[in-house]
């Protein structure tokens, strides 16, 4: 389902509210000092699925808001791979993806496996659309490499995705 959707509908109207504003804390934590909003290209029924299961995300129609104070590691890219894809290459998209995975993890035991898999695929699509909306542009090979990495390995990350402490 998602593979067809990605090919059929690339992000055309997706847009961030500006640059990320954050504070850094060693070794790898970032705290947003301003909310980050992302206008998505998701369909209404995709957003409705998250709302149906009371996934604690802040939606205003098709816009996802990551609240001020949210703590992230940006993208969980192994240090050895930074020469190819560094966390700051895909930072804003990764933060939206992080918050979606964190909130999905909180409800995963209450949701049918098929619906959970669909919501995870939607979160991964938001990550792809975020990279497509990035300024400066993310190279196509980096977008697709990062996207397929989360499609292949995101199942393990989502299980350990929990609210981070500052």
């Amino acid at each position: 389902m998602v593979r067809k959707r990605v090919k059929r509908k690339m992000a055309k109207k997706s847009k961030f509210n500006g640059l990320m504003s954050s504070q850094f804390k060693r070794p790898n934590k970032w705290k947003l000092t301003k909310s980050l909003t992302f206008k998505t290209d998701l369909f209404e029924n995709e957003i409705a699925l998250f709302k149906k299961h009371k996934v604690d995300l802040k939606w205003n129609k098709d816009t996802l808001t990551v609240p001020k104070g949210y703590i992230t590691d940006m993208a969980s890219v192994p240090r050895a791979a930074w020469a190819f894809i560094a966390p700051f290459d895909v930072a804003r998209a990764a933060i939206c993806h992080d918050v979606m995975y964190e909130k999905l993890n909180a409800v995963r035991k209450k949701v049918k496996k098929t619906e959970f898999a669909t919501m995870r695929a939607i979160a991964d699509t938001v990550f792809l659309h975020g990279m497509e909306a990035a300024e400066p542009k993310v190279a196509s090979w980096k977008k697709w490499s990062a996207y397929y990495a989360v499609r292949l390995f995101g199942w393990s990350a989502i299980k350990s995705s929990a609210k981070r402490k500052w």
Side-chain angles (χ1 to χ4, degrees):
M1 175 195 139
V2 173
R3 187 172 295 155
K4 288 181 184 175
R5 183 186 186 288
V6 170
K7 287 181 181 177
R8 174 176 59 95
K9 183 176 187 223
M10 300 308 287
K12 295 201 179 356
K13 66 175 181 170
S14 295
K15 186 176 179 176
F16 288 99
N17 65 328
L19 296 176
M20 181 181 87
S21 179
S22 63
Q23 178 183 3
F24 176 70
K25 183 176 183 180
R26 292 191 183 275
N28 65 343
K29 291 182 183 174
W30 299 83
K31 185 194 305 187
L32 294 184
T33 55
K34 180 178 108 179
S35 293
L36 176 67
T37 62
F38 181 60
K39 181 177 177 64
T40 71
D41 278 353
L42 294 179
F43 297 115
E44 287 178 31
N45 64 322
E46 292 171 318
I47 294 169
L49 184 59
F50 285 86
K51 291 180 178 179
K52 170 187 168 187
H53 292 292
K54 297 180 174 55
V55 178
D56 186 24
L57 292 168
K58 294 177 178 23
W59 292 103
N60 182 3
K61 295 186 183 178
D62 59 354
T63 301
L64 173 67
T65 298
V66 183
K68 175 182 174 180
Y70 182 74
I71 300 166
T72 181
D73 65 355
M74 286 202 280
S76 303
V77 178
R79 184 68 180 208
W82 281 23
F84 306 104
I85 302 173
F88 42 81
D89 288 338
V90 297
R92 291 179 296 170
I95 291 169
C96 292
H97 190 252
D98 276 1
V99 77
M100 292 182 84
Y101 263 31
E102 177 187 309
K103 303 303 183 178
L104 275 173
N105 183 40
V107 301
R108 77 182 156 97
K109 293 180 180 171
K110 303 172 194 167
V111 178
K112 286 188 235 172
K113 286 184 180 184
T114 55
E115 287 185 313
F116 184 81
T118 300
M119 288 190 289
R120 185 184 148 234
I122 293 167
D124 294 347
T125 299
V126 167
F127 179 55
L128 178 62
H129 288 184
M131 290 186 290
E132 290 170 347
E135 294 172 21
K137 295 283 182 200
V138 176
S140 185
W141 67 269
K142 284 186 183 187
K143 279 189 288 203
W144 289 104
S145 298
Y147 171 75
Y148 284 116
V150 299
R151 288 304 303 139
L152 289 171
F153 304 110
W155 60 269
S156 65
I158 204 165
K159 290 180 182 174
S160 63
S161 185
K163 191 170 185 172
R164 296 169 186 87
K165 298 199 184 326
W166 188 248

